Amino acid sequence: STLNDLILCKDEGFGKVQNIVELAQSVLANTSTNGHSKIVTEMEELQNHWSQLVAKLGESRVAVDDSISKWSGFLDSVNQLKLTVQNMEKIFNAVSPTQSQSNEKRAQIDKLRNLDEKIRVEKIEVENLKLKANQMLSSGQQNKSALQAQEVLAQF
């Protein structure tokens, strides 16, 4: 929000810099030639500093947008994994009672194998999510989200 406020003030700041440059032109007209170089140098430095500030502001906004996108994607993945874990638990609970008939046992084994395969596929994604959660915790960013993610990952 502060970054957005600064970006919104960028045009106002540019107007102020331009106003100062115009005032400097008036001062130049009333200054001896000995002082012209100092005034021109100061105005060039002011404009360069302003340009650098605006460039850094733009870079900061891109970095913040990238971070937001990265972490929101992470949280979406964690929420998707949570649903997957819940679905796997439902499937396991439905299949877990031991069947008495041989054909029922084969069907049960097939369902358990399919579930095992799904778990193996998800395990790769879980490892990536664990790394990202640890990265979030170590960087101090979004600790609450990272802790929630670790709870879901531990459940898996």
Side-chain angles (χ1 to χ4, degrees):
S1 129
T2 303
L3 186 60
N4 284 333
D5 293 342
L6 289 173
I7 290 170
L8 292 174
C9 294
K10 180 177 74 172
D11 291 335
E12 181 182 338
F14 178 76
K16 288 182 179 186
V17 169
Q18 285 304 111
N19 189 35
I20 291 170
V21 170
E22 290 171 7
L23 290 173
Q25 294 296 326
S26 298
V27 170
L28 277 175
N30 297 313
T31 304
S32 70
T33 53
N34 293 344
H36 283 203
S37 65
K38 176 78 171 156
I39 293 171
V40 169
T41 302
E42 290 291 325
M43 289 305 99
E44 287 174 353
E45 287 179 11
L46 175 64
Q47 288 174 321
N48 285 336
H49 282 77
W50 179 254
S51 295
Q52 290 172 356
L53 178 65
V54 169
K56 287 180 182 178
L57 188 59
E59 291 171 7
S60 297
R61 181 176 184 151
V62 168
V64 167
D65 288 346
D66 286 347
S67 292
I68 289 170
S69 176
K70 179 181 176 182
W71 297 127
S72 68
F74 169 76
L75 294 176
D76 289 344
S77 295
V78 169
N79 288 331
Q80 183 62 40
L81 178 65
K82 185 176 183 177
L83 292 174
T84 301
V85 168
Q86 290 171 348
N87 288 335
M88 288 180 181
E89 286 176 340
K90 287 178 187 176
I91 292 170
F92 179 77
N93 290 335
V95 174
S96 63
T98 305
Q99 301 297 318
S100 59
Q101 300 292 326
S102 145
N103 59 346
E104 292 173 337
K105 286 182 180 182
R106 283 189 201 110
Q108 183 181 25
I109 289 171
D110 286 340
K111 288 178 183 177
L112 288 172
R113 284 183 183 152
N114 289 336
L115 183 60
D116 182 55
E117 184 61 30
K118 288 178 184 178
I119 291 171
R120 289 177 197 221
V121 169
E122 287 297 323
K123 191 172 184 177
I124 296 168
E125 180 65 23
V126 168
E127 293 303 318
N128 289 331
L129 292 174
K130 282 182 182 179
L131 290 173
K132 287 181 182 178
N134 289 334
Q135 181 185 14
M136 285 175 76
L137 283 173
S138 66
S139 70
Q141 297 176 352
Q142 303 289 331
N143 282 337
K144 183 179 177 184
S145 298
L147 291 173
Q148 288 174 342
Q150 285 189 328
E151 288 175 14
V152 171
L153 295 168
Q155 186 181 9
F156 180 80

